[in-house]
Amino acid sequence: MQEETTQKTIALAIKTSKLTASVLQKAMKMYLEHQKHKQPSHGKIPVKKLVGQGEGAKSIEVTDSNIKSFERVARKYNVDFAVKKDKTTEPPKYLVFFKGKDADVIAQAFKEFVKVNEKKQQRPSLRQKLKGLQKIVAQNKNRERSREKNKDRGQSL
């Protein structure tokens, strides 16, 4: 499974009368050249690259350790951003850098991020649910044991 995700496959459609190594080589060069000029994908990028784009970078401080869910939301909004962990504070804070022109989009992404996190915090954790179910099962077992003891007492009398 790991091999499948790390290897990429490309398909080339070539019109030629005879497929030779030189024709295949030219096609691959054309493909690679096309890939260089392709639009960059949006998402998490290094701070250095973000600042180097020359569009001015702004930052927002995030204290939530669940920064991965923010990354998912930011990619959904096609925003270039960089995350830097500030280890000088306890608990550590995260600085999210983004382009100045994306301020409105980032604000919307943060709204969605906060909304999703609030929903997650409101619902009980799976461990809490399991503890509650364990208590219920233990109570039911105790009731059945007491019923069996009462039946045994009733038969022995």
Side-chain angles (χ1 to χ4, degrees), residues 126-142:
L126 185 59
R127 288 184 181 180
Q128 289 173 343
K129 286 181 181 179
L130 286 174
K131 284 181 183 179
L133 291 173
Q134 284 175 339
K135 287 180 183 177
I136 292 171
V137 168
Q139 289 172 355
N140 286 341
K141 284 184 180 180
N142 289 337

Side-chain angles (χ1 to χ4, degrees), residues 72-89:
R72 230 176 283 126
V73 172
R75 268 192 241 110
K76 176 181 168 185
Y77 282 90
N78 290 330
V79 176
D80 291 332
F81 65 96
V83 178
K84 190 76 174 171
K85 186 176 183 179
D86 182 12
K87 297 178 184 177
T88 59
T89 60

Side-chain angles (χ1 to χ4, degrees), residues 111-125:
K111 284 180 186 176
E112 186 173 328
F113 169 65
V114 168
K115 184 179 175 184
V116 168
N117 277 351
E118 284 178 356
K119 278 186 179 179
K120 284 182 182 178
Q121 288 176 353
Q122 286 176 356
R123 60 180 191 218
S125 72

Side-chain angles (χ1 to χ4, degrees), residues 50-66:
L50 184 71
V51 172
Q53 290 178 349
E55 297 182 22
K58 293 185 179 181
S59 68
I60 294 179
E61 200 173 277
V62 180
T63 56
D64 192 359
S65 61
N66 192 8

